[in-house]
Structures are given as structure tokens and as C-alpha cells.
């Protein structure tokens, strides 16, 4: 039995909540400020504040304007009288039910409060006492965070360095005054303007600032947008890493690729439902369902209260591995009182529940039955449950399995090694062995569902793959949805596949893919289990977190206790308030996967300018004696004017140069740098005026 869980029964057959209420009926009131009437009773010489309890109308009006966390703090004396049967009748006679009704009016400011407008007066005293006591029980049950000690003086700071205002790139720092932990270190994908960039990793500048406080890195699960930047961080800073064996095995593969194999000494393998102390923080991993196996949420006990971080999640009651979300632990911490909840906002616009991963298996059954030749299935390489379901159907239909794609091969190897995928070796073949079997005996599991140009499926579609040449009898299953920003790439891939003559199975089958993120009803479930005082929606673009905030309000969180963050916003959390205190420098580092090295921002900016506005090169010689051009300037342009207008454009630039030299007083010594800067400005103005473009202009001047 968990002795800290108030919902478990004690030795008398009663639960701990009942025993605690008998011992201390309103634990969340222990730290409330003393009320006006109590001050006067204890200290007659102390004057009452203006608008005190001497005026019932003012009291009721003030109650309606309080924050929800203060709205029910008044009228404690009336409640105490109601708990004592000997005092109830006397209290009723004296107050005429006004105090109880005022408490109820105030409670309606929070949607968690009571629904009854007032206590009926025409009922027996025993019934009325039961109504009052039941309302108090309900109020405490729906607002467990009131157990928190609001007199604690500590504070926390939460700083997202990635994952807000975008999809992916998740990384955040949680700090106390003495300690800090990093939550996930993910990467994201570039958009079409970032030419030659393969991945984006967060700017780690702030981590250098607080490096002496950081006690460790806490990893929730193994998706690339949560671990993909680990190797790049470790090239700058190294800290202990805490995660499940699967997550750390995936990180180990990345470290090996980057020559960091010695850094596995920083690994700490965690046990779920067990707390790990990292400085001022006690962190517990709670199993959560998602689109990758062994995913987790976090419960973080801090000096001022408990923080719950869902990480990416959905509530799948029929997961492929049978391990459902550990909702018991959410309820356990919720009953104890949670200071702040951070929750995944990716699918905040989706009403209802996200479908179970199991429905995809039923769709695969139909697709495998319909397939006449080879089956080629593409999905995210980390979606192990999806891959496993496809493999099961392949084995069932007597197909050999060929896994193609570096990340897919690596993930399947790790999950098989750790026992998450239980498929015998005899069912697997190498890519070069595919031609040895009949088409109806082959299942290919491959990467490339997002239309990545260098991924295996794209190379098959362009007939560039070494071992797989597409045939009209092939069935290609794309079991994924396009990540925001990848829609054009996926559409291009679909066109190439259709032109090759294969049968493509994609969106026409509604259950060919299901999301790994929670819909609104699952978000509500977590909000109701946790019942936090403060709520900070995370993971998603601004419209996603705004929608999640609205859902939280419907679940009783006071809208004044919710903040919408952007990357770099530093949020201060105390038992009494949350607020933004400052903005931290954030950004992205561009990475070229060909050499695993960063690309400077100005290089990417130049590439984009070349792609959109072109380039103009001007080379000329100037006589030191005469200050005139020797010969003709050499003018070349790319991406600005069509070839047939090259001569005309060159003539325009020559005239600009001649006019400039006539109006300029060049010294005999001549400074090429000054002349180059002047010409650059003159030519730019001309191009902007005549062609409305902003090309890169590179003049080169020689004085001879």
C-alpha cells in the first residue's frame, strides 16, 4: 500500500481522506489569512479593515470579486459552527443562513464550485447539516491544491527554449533558487527557406548561463523532437542523463554516430514510479501512452509544491503492449495537491478522443488482404507499435520482412534487443535479398513518410534506390500524417508514387494512421485528475496552447492562473502566483547532416537570398592616374534577369559605374573597399527601382 496516497483505505476500512477530514476538516484552510471577525475577537484593540465582515452586503460583494483561490476563504466561523451540532442551531438563529449563502455565492466564481444557489431553510437541521458538510467535502475534493502551503517563500522558474510556437524542438529548464533540471533536448525540421539545412537544434546559450545549477537532464521519451539534439548539446555541455533503458539506448546510438561513445557514463537508468533526487527536485516517471513505446510523464516534487508535466501523450485504453497510462499516479498527486500542470497541446483543436493505436492493425488486415504483390509500408521510424503491427501482419501472410532506412534499422534493432518487438530472426531478410522471393512474399518497412528527399521511399519513387525498383503490382502504405510544414514534400512524394504506377494507400482509409497526441476529452481527463492551481499549456504553436487554455477553463482552472508562453519566456511560479519575469535569448542552430556540423545563420540567409533574389557580380579595373575604368567592367548576374536581357542589364550597370566615377573624387592611392561599398549601394538602388528585387551584389575593384 502507498502510504502517501490519501485515496487508499486505512486499517478501519475508511480511506485516509475521511480520517483526515475528521482530524482536520479543511486542510487547505490552515494557511489562510485570518478573517476580520477573528482578528477582532482575538485582538479587540485592532480596528477592522474597511469593508470588513461588519457589513454583510460588502462582504458578499467582496466575495464575488475575489480570485477563485481566495473566494471560499471567508465565513470560516460559520463552517466551524456547522461542524459542531451543539452550535449549529445557535448559528442558524444568529446569522439567518447569510454566511453560508455568501460562501456559496463566492464559490460559483470557479466552475469547480457548488451548483446550489443557497442552502434550503425549510428542511430539518440534520438534513441541512448534511448538505453543508457534503458541500465542504465536494469543495475540498474539487480544489485539492488548497492543501498547498501558500506561506512558503521559495520560487521556481520555467523557461521553454524550444517547443512553443512550433511543432518539435522540445526543451525546457526548470529552476529553483539552488538547482535546475533540463526537460528533454529535442530537434526540429527546417522549412523550405532553409536551403541545405537538414535539422534544427536549440540555441543552448541559456544553459551556459545556468550550467552550475543544472543537476541533470530528464528525458520523457525517445522521439526525435525530444532527444534529437542530445549529441549537439554534449559537444558543448555535459550533465547526467535520466531516462528509461529504451530512451538511453536510442541516445547511445546518436552518441556513437557523433564520436561520443564515452559519454554513456552519464546515463542513469530510471525505474518508473520511483523518485530520483536531482538537487531540490524529486522526479518520478509515470508511464504514459503515446506513439512510441515506453513514453512517460513526470511528477516533480519541488520545495514549494508538485509540478506535473504530461510530455507528449494520449490516453489509449487498448495499447499494443498492454501498458495503459498510469492514471492512478496522476490521481494520487492530484489528491495531494498540484501546484502547476504542464500539458501537451498539439491536438487541442481536436474534439473527442484520439483513436487507439489498435484500430490501425485492423486497417492493416484489410490492406494486406487486398495486396497482390509486394507491400511497402512507411511510417515514422520511432513508431514502434505501428511497425510491430505491420510486421505481425506480414508474418501472418507469410511475408519476409526487409527493413530499409538507417533510422528505421537502428530503432528496430534496439527495440528487438530490449524485447519491445518480439519477431523471430527467421522472418527478416536483407534489402539485397528481396529479389530472391516472390512479390507476394515480401514486406518492406521503410522510412520516408514525410517526403524527405534522401529517405528510402523517396529514392524508390525516383527510381534511385539500389535494391528496390517499384512495380505496378506493389502496394505502398503511408501510415503517417504530414507534419506541419512538410505538406508540400508529402504531396510531391505522392505524385511520384502515383506516376510509377503503384497502388498507394493513404488518407482514403480513415484509420491508416492515428495521432499520438491527446484530443480535448483526454486533455480534460488529465486536468480533472490533477486539478492544478496553475496551468501552463506546452508543446505546440500559439493557436494550440490558446485552445488548450480554453479547455482548462471549462475544467475549472481560473483563467487568471493560466499563462500562454512562447519560447524564451521565463515564468516565475510561487504558491501564490505565476507571472512572466523576463525573456531569454533563444533561437535555432542549423545542422548539415552530411557532416553533423552547424551552418552559420548568414550562410543560410545568403542561400535564401540567392534563391529568391539572385546575385550580381561586377569586376572592374580603375586607373590610379586617371580615375577611369580600364577596359569594360565584367557584369554577370544569376537569378535576376533572363539570359536574353544580360547585355541590356550589363549596359545599365556600366552607365551607373561611369556616372559614379565622374562624380567622385578618387584619391590616387585609391581605396577599393570604399569604391566597392559605394557601387554596391548604387547598383542595389537601381535594381530595386527597376526590378523590385534585392539581390546579393558583389563588386570587385582593382586599382592599377
Amino acid at each position: 500500500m502507498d502510504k502517501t496516497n490519501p485515496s487508499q483505505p486505512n486499517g478501519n476500512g475508511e480511506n485516509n481522506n475521511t480520517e483526515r477530514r475528521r482530524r482536520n476538516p479543511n486542510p487547505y484552510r490552515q494557511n489562510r489569512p485570518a478573517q476580520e471577525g477573528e482578528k477582532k475577537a482575538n485582538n479587540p484593540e485592532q480596528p477592522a479593515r474597511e469593508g470588513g465582515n461588519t457589513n454583510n452586503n460588502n462582504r458578499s460583494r467582496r466575495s464575488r470579486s475575489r480570485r477563485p483561490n481566495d473566494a471560499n476563504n471567508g465565513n470560516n466561523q460559520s463552517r466551524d459552527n456547522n461542524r459542531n451540532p451543539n452550535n449549529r442551531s445557535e448559528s442558524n438563529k444568529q446569522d439567518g443562513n447569510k454566511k453560508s449563502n455568501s460562501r456559496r455565492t463566492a464559490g460559483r466564481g470557479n466552475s469547480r464550485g457548488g451548483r446550489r444557489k443557497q442552502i434550503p431553510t425549510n428542511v430539518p437541521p440534520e438534513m441541512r447539516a448534511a448538505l453543508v458538510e457534503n458541500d465542504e467535502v465536494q469543495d475540498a475534493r474539487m480544489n485539492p491544491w488548497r492543501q498547498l502551503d501558500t506561506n512558503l517563500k521559495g520560487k521556481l522558474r520555467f523557461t521553454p527554449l524550444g517547443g512553443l510556437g512550433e511543432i518539435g524542438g522540445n526543451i525546457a529548464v526548470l529552476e529553483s533558487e539552488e538547482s535546475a533540471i533540463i526537460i528533454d533536448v529535442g530537434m526540429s525540421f527546417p522549412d523550405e527557406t532553409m536551403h541545405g539545412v537538414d535539422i534544427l537544434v536549440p540555441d543552448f546559450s541559456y544553459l551556459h548561463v545556468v550550467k552550475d545549477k543544472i543537476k541533470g537532464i530528464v528525458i520523457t521519451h525517445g522521439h526525435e523532437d525530444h532527444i534529437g539534439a542530445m549529441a549537439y548539446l554534449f559537444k558543448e555541455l555535459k550533465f547526467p542523463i535520466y531516462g528509461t533503458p529504451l530512451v538511453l539506448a536510442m541516445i547511445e546510438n546518436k552518441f556513437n554516430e557523433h564520436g561520443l561513445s564515452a559519454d554513456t557514463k552519464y546515463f542513469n537508468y530510471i525505474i518508473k514510479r520511483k523518485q530520483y533526487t536531482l538537487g531540490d527536485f524529486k522526479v518520478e516517471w509515470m508511464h504514459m501512452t503515446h506513439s512510441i513505446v515506453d513514453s512517460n510523464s513526470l511528477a516533480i516534487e519541488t520545495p514549494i509544491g508538485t509540478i506535473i508535466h504530461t510530455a507528449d501523450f494520449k490516453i489509449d485504453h487498448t495499447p499494443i503492449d498492454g501498458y495503459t497510462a498510469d492514471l492512478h499516479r496522476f490521481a494520487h498527486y492530484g489528491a495531494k495537491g498540484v501546484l502547476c500542470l504542464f500539458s501537451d497541446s498539439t491536438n487541442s483543436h481536436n474534439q473527442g478522443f484520439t483513436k487507439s493505436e489498435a484500430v490501425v492493425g485492423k486497417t492493416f488486415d484489410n490492406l494486406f488482404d487486398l495486396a497482390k504483390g509486394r507491400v511497402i509500408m512507411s511510417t515514422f521510424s520511432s513508431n514502434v507499435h505501428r511497425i510491430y503491427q505491420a510486421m505481425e501482419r506480414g508474418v501472418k501472410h507469410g511475408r519476409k520482412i526487409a527493413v530499409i532506412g538507417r533510422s528505421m534499422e537502428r530503432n528496430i534493432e534496439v527495440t528487438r534487443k530490449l524485447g519491445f518487438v518480439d519477431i523471430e530472426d527467421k522472418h527478416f531478410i536483407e534489402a539485397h535479398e528481396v529479389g530472391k522471393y516472390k512479390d507476394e512474399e515480401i514486406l518492406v518497412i521503410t522510412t520516408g513518410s514525410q517526403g524527405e528527399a534522401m529517405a528510402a521511399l523517396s529514392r524508390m519513387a525516383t527510381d534511385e534506390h539500389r535494391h528496390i525498383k517499384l512495380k505496378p503490382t506493389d502496394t505502398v502504405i503511408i501510415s503517417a500524417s504530414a507534419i506541419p510544414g512538410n505538406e508540400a514534400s508529402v504531396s510531391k512524394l505522392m505524385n511520384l508514387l502515383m506516376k510509377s504506377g503503384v497502388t498507394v494507400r493513404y488518407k482514403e482509409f480513415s484509420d491508416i494512421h492515428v495521432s499520438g497526441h491527446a484530443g480535448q476529452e483526454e486533455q480534460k481527463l488529465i486536468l480533472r485528475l490533477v486539478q492544478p492551481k496553475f496551468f501552463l499549456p506546452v508543446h505546440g504553436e500559439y493557436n494550440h496552447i490558446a485552445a488548450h487554455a480554453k479547455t482548462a477553463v471549462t475544467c475549472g482552472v481560473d483563467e487568471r492562473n493560466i499563462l500562454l508562453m512562447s519560447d524564451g519566456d521565463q515564468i516565475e511560479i510561487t504558491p501564490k502566483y505565476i507571472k512572466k519575469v523576463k525573456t531569454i535569448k533563444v533561437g535555432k542552430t542549423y545542422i548539415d547532416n552530411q557532416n553533423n556540423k552547424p551552418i552559420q545563420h548568414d550562410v543560410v540567409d545568403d542561400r535564401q537570398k540567392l534563391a529568391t533574389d539572385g546575385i550580381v557580380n561586377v569586376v572592374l579595373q580603375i586607373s590610379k592616374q586617371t580615375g577611369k575604368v580600364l577596359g569594360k567592367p565584367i557584369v554577370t548576374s544569376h537569378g535576376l534577369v533572363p539570359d536574353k536581357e544580360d547585355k541590356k542589364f550589363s549596359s545599365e550597370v556600366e552607365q551607373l559605374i561611369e556616372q559614379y566615377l565622374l562624380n567622385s573624387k578618387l584619391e590616387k592611392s585609391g581605396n577599393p573597399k570604399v569604391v566597392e561599398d559605394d557601387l554596391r549601394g548604387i547598383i542595389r538602388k537601381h535594381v530595386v527601382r527597376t526590378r523590385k528585387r534585392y539581390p546579393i551584389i558583389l563588386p570587385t575593384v582593382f586599382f592599377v
Side-chain angles (χ1 to χ4, degrees):
M1 182 190 303
D2 188 342
K3 294 183 180 180
T4 63
N5 189 342
S7 65
Q8 293 182 347
N10 57 26
N12 298 324
E14 301 174 334
N15 62 37
N16 292 333
N17 280 332
T18 304
E19 184 177 353
R20 188 173 68 250
R21 284 198 303 273
R22 181 181 295 113
R23 194 168 56 246
N24 183 9
N26 282 289
Y28 62 87
R29 293 187 165 282
Q30 294 175 359
N31 300 301
R32 67 177 179 82
Q35 300 303 305
E36 301 301 325
E38 296 170 333
K39 288 182 179 179
K40 292 177 67 177
N42 295 331
N43 186 6
E45 296 180 0
Q46 182 177 354
R49 291 180 300 182
E50 183 179 356
N53 285 348
T54 57
N55 186 309
N56 285 337
N57 292 330
N58 288 343
R59 180 187 66 233
S60 178
R61 182 165 59 252
R62 192 175 69 255
S63 296
R64 288 193 295 271
S65 65
R66 287 193 188 104
R67 290 180 179 271
N69 56 316
D70 297 324
N72 294 323
N73 283 352
N75 309 299
N76 189 62
Q77 190 174 14
S78 174
R79 291 188 180 185
D80 291 340
N81 289 336
N82 285 329
R83 292 189 198 103
N84 188 337
N86 297 327
N87 294 335
R88 277 196 199 109
S89 59
E90 182 179 352
S91 176
N92 293 341
K93 292 176 183 178
Q94 290 177 353
D95 296 332
N97 305 321
K98 291 182 180 179
K99 293 181 179 180
S100 298
N101 291 338
S102 176
R103 177 183 62 78
R104 293 175 178 283
T105 301
R108 291 199 304 273
N110 188 329
S111 61
R112 295 174 182 162
R115 296 293 183 265
R116 196 181 299 105
K117 293 183 179 180
Q118 62 182 6
I119 299 176
T121 58
N122 57 345
V123 298
E126 293 79 6
M127 181 182 292
R128 185 178 183 280
L131 289 172
V132 171
E133 190 71 18
N134 273 314
D135 279 356
E136 291 177 353
V137 171
Q138 294 283 53
D139 187 65
R141 179 178 70 86
M142 298 301 290
N143 298 278
W145 51 265
R146 287 179 174 158
Q147 302 172 66
L148 301 172
D149 186 352
T150 57
N151 289 327
L152 293 173
K153 300 301 182 182
K155 61 181 67 174
L156 303 174
R157 290 198 174 184
F158 180 79
T159 312
L161 303 180
L164 285 166
E166 62 177 332
I167 302 296
N170 299 289
I171 178 174
V173 181
L174 180 64
E175 301 174 61
S176 67
E177 295 177 0
E178 302 294 333
S179 306
I181 58 174
I182 303 170
I183 302 175
D184 292 330
V185 186
M187 49 77 74
S188 53
F189 293 101
D191 59 35
E192 63 278 1
T193 68
M194 301 175 186
H195 303 280
V197 178
D198 294 308
I199 63 172
L200 308 175
V201 302
D203 185 337
F204 301 126
S205 299
Y206 183 66
L207 300 185
H208 286 271
V209 175
V210 297
K211 63 181 180 181
D212 294 334
K213 294 173 60 177
I214 296 174
K215 305 303 179 184
I217 302 171
V218 173
I219 303 295
T220 60
H221 63 283
H223 271 153
E224 289 293 312
D225 59 336
H226 291 259
I227 66 169
M230 282 293 301
Y232 300 98
L233 171 61
F234 262 62
K235 292 177 181 179
E236 299 183 28
L237 297 166
K238 301 180 191 295
F239 306 106
I241 310 173
Y242 295 80
T244 63
L246 176 60
V247 165
L248 296 183
M250 290 180 168
I251 294 175
E252 182 179 3
N253 285 335
K254 296 183 177 298
F255 280 7
N256 292 338
E257 287 182 7
H258 289 259
L260 300 172
S261 56
D263 288 335
T264 56
K265 64 185 179 183
Y266 291 95
F267 287 0
N268 295 272
Y269 300 97
I270 65 94
I271 307 298
K272 300 183 182 186
R273 286 193 163 199
K274 180 179 178 181
Q275 284 189 332
Y276 294 81
T277 300
L278 286 77
D280 289 340
F281 305 106
K282 294 181 179 179
V283 185
E284 176 185 337
W285 280 254
M286 305 179 293
H287 185 79
M288 178 51 70
T289 46
H290 185 40
S291 55
I292 186 173
V293 297
D294 218 18
S295 186
N296 296 274
S297 299
L298 302 173
I300 307 171
E301 291 189 357
T302 78
I304 62 170
T306 300
I307 304 292
I308 299 292
H309 195 309
T310 65
D312 291 352
F313 81 101
K314 65 188 280 189
I315 305 300
D316 191 340
H317 297 296
T318 56
I320 302 305
D321 59 6
Y323 294 123
T324 56
D326 197 351
L327 301 180
H328 304 82
R329 299 305 288 170
F330 283 87
H332 161 70
Y333 282 105
K336 292 171 62 177
V338 170
L339 179 63
C340 188
L341 170 66
F342 304 92
S343 189
D344 174 20
S345 305
T346 307
N347 276 356
S348 295
H349 292 293
N350 294 6
Q351 297 181 357
F353 294 87
T354 301
K355 290 183 178 181
S356 169
E357 181 67 27
V359 305
V360 179
K362 298 178 181 178
T363 303
F364 282 171
D365 286 332
N366 295 332
L367 296 180
F368 274 76
D369 288 339
L370 293 171
K372 303 302 181 184
R374 298 180 300 185
V375 174
I376 302 171
M377 196 280 286
S378 181
T379 188
F380 298 106
S381 63
S382 59
N383 197 337
V384 178
H385 283 157
R386 187 77 48 81
I387 297 167
Y388 180 63
Q389 290 191 90
M391 288 179 175
E392 279 190 316
R393 273 67 186 180
V395 172
K396 177 182 175 182
H397 287 78
R399 295 176 180 267
K400 295 294 183 181
I401 304 167
V403 180
I404 300 176
R406 185 177 62 175
S407 60
M408 186 75 75
E409 294 170 6
R410 187 171 59 237
N411 286 341
I412 291 178
E413 179 183 357
V414 169
T415 52
R416 290 186 67 208
K417 178 180 177 181
L418 298 182
F420 291 99
V421 172
D422 186 17
I423 303 289
E424 296 182 53
D425 290 342
K426 65 180 182 181
H427 298 294
F428 291 91
I429 59 173
E430 297 294 332
H432 67 269
E433 298 179 295
V434 168
K436 299 178 181 179
Y437 296 85
K438 297 179 180 178
D439 288 352
E440 59 270 21
E441 297 176 348
I442 293 297
L443 166 63
V444 176
I445 306 291
T446 186
T447 56
S449 63
Q450 297 302 298
E452 306 97 315
M454 297 305 295
L457 186 58
S458 292
R459 287 187 285 121
M460 294 177 198
T462 55
D463 199 29
E464 296 176 357
H465 196 274
R466 181 179 177 184
H467 300 296
I468 306 297
K469 305 297 181 182
L470 295 181
K471 304 177 182 179
T473 55
D474 291 340
T475 297
V476 177
I477 301 172
I478 300 179
S479 184
S481 61
I483 296 173
N486 290 351
E487 293 86 356
S489 299
V490 174
S491 179
K492 180 180 178 181
L493 172 64
M494 293 290 293
N495 291 331
L496 291 172
L497 291 172
M498 296 295 288
K499 287 180 179 179
S500 69
V502 302
T503 299
V504 179
R505 306 296 191 186
Y506 188 36
K507 290 184 177 180
E508 68 271 21
F509 290 84
S510 60
D511 292 337
I512 201 170
H513 170 73
V514 295
S515 174
H517 296 273
Q520 290 180 4
E521 295 305 313
E522 293 150 286
Q523 293 174 345
K524 290 177 184 177
L525 176 58
I526 294 298
L527 284 160
R528 286 301 190 183
L529 285 173
V530 174
Q531 302 279 28
K533 181 175 184 178
F534 301 119
F535 178 61
L536 295 174
V538 294
H539 297 177
E541 298 175 0
Y542 192 86
N543 68 89
H544 299 133
I545 65 173
H548 201 174
K550 292 180 180 179
T551 300
V553 171
T554 66
C555 289
V557 180
D558 191 318
E559 61 184 349
R560 292 169 293 185
N561 288 349
I562 302 172
L563 285 181
L564 304 185
M565 302 179 291
S566 297
D567 285 345
D569 288 349
Q570 188 164 90
I571 307 301
E572 185 172 278
I573 306 171
T574 74
K576 295 182 179 179
Y577 65 83
I578 55 172
K579 66 177 181 180
K580 176 183 172 182
V581 290
K582 62 180 176 179
T583 300
I584 301 300
K585 174 183 176 294
V586 295
K588 299 295 183 184
T589 299
Y590 303 139
I591 301 295
D592 182 351
N593 266 352
Q594 301 304 312
N595 54 24
N596 286 328
K597 292 183 178 180
I599 308 171
Q600 297 302 314
H601 283 246
D602 57 343
V603 173
V604 178
D605 291 342
D606 286 348
R607 290 174 179 175
Q608 175 60 16
K609 184 170 284 293
L610 286 170
T612 57
D613 295 308
I615 185 172
V616 176
N617 289 293
V618 179
V619 181
L620 67 154
Q621 292 180 326
I622 299 177
S623 171
K624 289 183 179 180
Q625 285 74 27
T626 64
K628 295 183 179 180
V629 178
L630 299 177
K632 291 186 65 175
I634 300 174
V635 181
T636 58
S637 67
H638 301 278
L640 181 63
V641 298
D643 292 342
K644 63 182 180 181
E645 295 183 13
D646 277 345
K647 290 184 178 180
K648 177 183 176 183
F649 180 70
S650 296
S651 177
E652 294 173 4
V653 174
E654 289 173 13
Q655 293 177 14
L656 292 172
I657 294 172
E658 290 178 4
Q659 189 66 34
Y660 165 74
L661 294 177
L662 285 174
N663 296 330
S664 299
K665 296 181 180 180
L666 300 178
E667 298 179 0
K668 290 186 177 181
S669 59
N671 187 338
K673 177 65 175 175
V674 173
V675 178
E676 288 171 359
D677 290 342
D678 290 345
L679 289 177
R680 184 180 294 107
I682 292 169
I683 297 172
R684 178 178 291 110
K685 288 180 181 179
H686 174 74
V687 174
V688 171
R689 184 178 68 254
T690 59
R691 291 173 173 80
K692 304 296 188 265
R693 309 306 298 173
Y694 299 84
I696 294 175
I697 300 172
L698 300 176
T700 304
V701 176
F702 298 96
F703 278 89
V704 295

